[in-house]
Amino acid sequence: MRWVRHAYKIHAPRTRCLRDGELSVKQVAARLGVDPGAVYYWLAHGLTPGRKDPSGRWCIPWTPETQADYRRQITGSAHLKPSTPLMPAGDAV
């Protein structure tokens, strides 16, 4: 069915991440001060945890463990320089 949407340029319905405690790629990128493209890259290559919802959008569990995974990706990257300081791990969702 996705190909029909693609062929006729019909956007998928907007959905939110279905489970509590999950964030979208855009939300995670904003919290970390990085470009969403970096988050998509990590997810696509299995470097950080996340799942796709039924519409194909990424949903990222935002727990202390996953936050640490994302922060490790940033600190281990020679290319990324966060635009804002990283939020402390204990920040509420």
Side-chain angles (χ1 to χ4, degrees):
M1 194 65 150
R2 279 189 187 169
W3 69 270
V4 173
R5 289 187 185 279
H6 175 74
Y8 292 98
K9 297 181 175 34
I10 300 170
H11 297 287
R14 284 265 167 201
T15 58
R16 294 187 180 264
C17 291
L18 303 174
R19 300 177 187 159
D20 286 338
E22 290 183 330
L23 300 177
S24 69
V25 169
K26 187 176 179 180
Q27 291 170 319
V28 169
R31 285 179 183 239
L32 298 173
V34 298
D35 186 78
V39 179
Y40 281 116
Y41 178 87
W42 299 329
L43 289 165
H45 289 85
L47 301 172
T48 53
R51 68 174 184 86
K52 285 194 174 184
D53 71 3
S55 70
R57 289 186 172 84
W58 283 102
C59 296
I60 301 161
W62 202 242
T63 64
E65 294 81 21
T66 58
Q67 290 179 46
D69 288 341
Y70 281 88
R71 291 173 201 285
R72 268 193 298 278
Q73 290 299 325
I74 293 171
T75 56
S77 172
H79 302 286
L80 291 176
K81 295 187 179 16
S83 60
T84 60
L86 298 177
M87 293 177 140
D91 283 350
V93 174

